Amino acid sequence: MSSLLIIASFLMATFSSVFANSEREEKLQEKLQENVGRVPYATDGTQTYFVFHPSRAPKAIFLSMQGSAGCLFGQRGPIQSEEDLIANGGPSPFHPSIMIQGTPAWTENGLKVILPNCPDVDHSSSTEEYAAAINKIIEKENPKNLPVFTGGMSRGTIRATNIAARLTTGIRGTILLSTSTSDTYDGTVFDPPIKNATSAFLMVIHENDGCVSSESLSMLEDFSDDLTTVKDKTIIKVTGGMGARRQTRHSLCGARSHHGMNGIHEEVFKIMNDWMNKRL
C-alpha cells in the first residue's frame, strides 16, 4: 500500500472516530424526560435507561434486564425505536415481557426499578464494557447506596449474571428466569467470570420450558454448582400457564410461552418480591 493510501486511510479513520465521539457527546448532553437517563457505553456509544419510582422512599434498586438483545422496543406496535421509547417515557405497557410487565409489582414492593435499553453500538452481554455501563447507571441513580438487585429473563440472564460477576459485592441479589445455559445468539450464562460472583442467586425454571437455550434443569444445576463463591443460591421450578402456539424456536423461546412464564406472571412476581424482601 502506498504512503498516500496509508495517510488517506488514517485520516478517514480519525474523521470517523471524531464524528462518532461528537455524536455521542451530543446524545449525552441531550435533555431528556425526568425518568430517562443516559450513560457512555464503551468508547463510542451510549446506553439509555428508564427509571420508575415507588410511591414511598425506595428500600432497594432493581435492575430489570429484558431478554433477546435487551432492547425495550419491538418490531411491532407504536414503539419501534429508542426515540419512540424516550417520547413515551419507557416501553409500552402492553409489551409481553415479564421483565417489563413486572415494573408495577416491583415498585409497589418499594423498589426503584431501572430498565436499561440496549446500547446504541454493537455489544455483547457478557463483556466488561456492558457491566461498566451498568455500573455508571447505578452510580447515578443510587446516591444513598441502597441494596441493588438485578434480574433477567432468557438472554437477559446473561446480562444479569455478567453484572453480578463483575460488580461483585455491589449486587445484593441476582434473579434469573429461564436461564440461558445453552447456546444463544449472545452466548450463555457461563461466559461471564461467574466464579467472581458473590451475590445471592435465585434461578426460576418452568418445568415445561421448551426453549433449547434454557430447558435443561441439569445444566442449570451445573451453572449453580459453578457459582463457587456464592453461598446463597436457590433453584425453583414452576408450573402452569400457557405454552407457545407454535413449535418453532422463535415461539418456544418467546414471551408468550412457558419460557416467558406466560400466564403465571403474578406468581413469579410474588416469588421474586418475597425472595428480595428476605435479603433486605
Side-chain angles (χ1 to χ4, degrees):
M1 182 182 290
S2 71
S3 58
L4 287 176
L5 285 174
I6 293 173
I7 293 171
S9 298
F10 173 77
L11 290 174
M12 287 180 65
T14 301
F15 176 79
S16 297
S17 177
V18 169
F19 178 77
N21 286 330
S22 174
E23 186 177 36
R24 177 167 89 157
E25 287 306 311
E26 185 176 331
K27 289 188 73 173
L28 290 172
Q29 296 301 320
E30 181 183 351
K31 188 172 182 178
L32 301 168
Q33 295 185 41
E34 187 176 349
N35 77 313
V36 185
R38 186 175 280 152
V39 295
Y41 185 90
T43 59
D44 58 352
T46 65
Q47 186 165 20
T48 301
Y49 62 92
F50 301 84
V51 182
F52 299 90
H53 297 270
S55 59
R56 57 192 184 278
K59 59 187 179 184
I61 304 288
F62 181 65
L63 289 158
S64 179
M65 315 306 292
Q66 162 65 343
S68 190
C71 300
L72 301 173
F73 52 85
Q75 297 178 335
R76 299 178 181 178
I79 301 178
Q80 299 184 20
S81 67
E82 184 166 283
E83 291 73 19
D84 293 338
L85 280 170
I86 293 170
N88 191 58
S92 167
F94 304 107
H95 196 295
S97 170
I98 192 172
M99 301 311 297
I100 294 173
Q101 288 287 318
T103 301
W106 300 320
T107 55
E108 288 172 13
N109 187 36
L111 305 180
K112 179 179 179 179
V113 178
I114 300 174
L115 302 178
N117 190 36
C118 50
D120 61 1
V121 293
D122 288 341
H123 65 282
S124 172
S125 296
S126 59
T127 61
E128 184 176 353
E129 287 81 5
Y130 191 92
I134 295 298
N135 194 44
K136 291 184 178 75
I137 294 174
I138 295 172
E139 289 173 348
K140 287 182 66 174
E141 297 297 335
N142 192 20
K144 295 186 177 181
N145 199 30
L146 297 171
V148 178
F149 293 86
T150 184
M153 153 64 66
S154 192
R155 284 161 63 191
T157 61
I158 304 172
R159 291 182 278 278
T161 300
N162 187 35
I163 292 164
R166 296 186 188 276
L167 304 189
T168 60
T169 56
I171 304 299
R172 178 73 59 90
T174 305
I175 300 174
L176 308 181
L177 309 179
S178 303
T179 308
S180 292
T181 52
S182 188
D183 287 344
T184 73
Y185 301 110
D186 203 14
T188 76
V189 287
F190 291 96
D191 294 337
I194 57 177
K195 294 188 184 301
N196 296 336
T198 59
S199 79
F201 267 75
L202 170 65
M203 294 152 277
V204 182
I205 183 172
H206 196 291
E207 71 168 1
N208 297 122
D209 187 347
C211 180
V212 294
S213 66
S214 59
E215 64 185 354
S216 172
L217 177 60
S218 64
M219 289 192 70
L220 184 60
E221 291 170 339
D222 289 345
F223 170 73
S224 179
D225 290 342
D226 283 355
L227 295 169
T228 53
T229 54
V230 175
K231 306 301 182 185
D232 179 1
K233 45 190 175 181
T234 305
I235 296 175
I236 293 179
K237 185 188 291 185
V238 295
T239 63
M242 295 171 283
R245 293 184 178 181
R246 299 179 180 178
Q247 298 302 299
T248 63
R249 176 166 181 158
H250 178 77
S251 295
L252 292 170
C253 298
R256 295 183 176 91
S257 68
H258 291 311
H259 174 81
M261 308 293 171
N262 190 28
I264 58 168
H265 283 188
E266 295 302 322
E267 176 186 337
V268 175
F269 297 153
K270 185 177 188 310
I271 291 171
M272 295 172 70
N273 277 331
D274 288 348
W275 185 85
M276 286 187 281
N277 290 341
K278 289 178 181 177
R279 285 154 183 81
L280 290 172

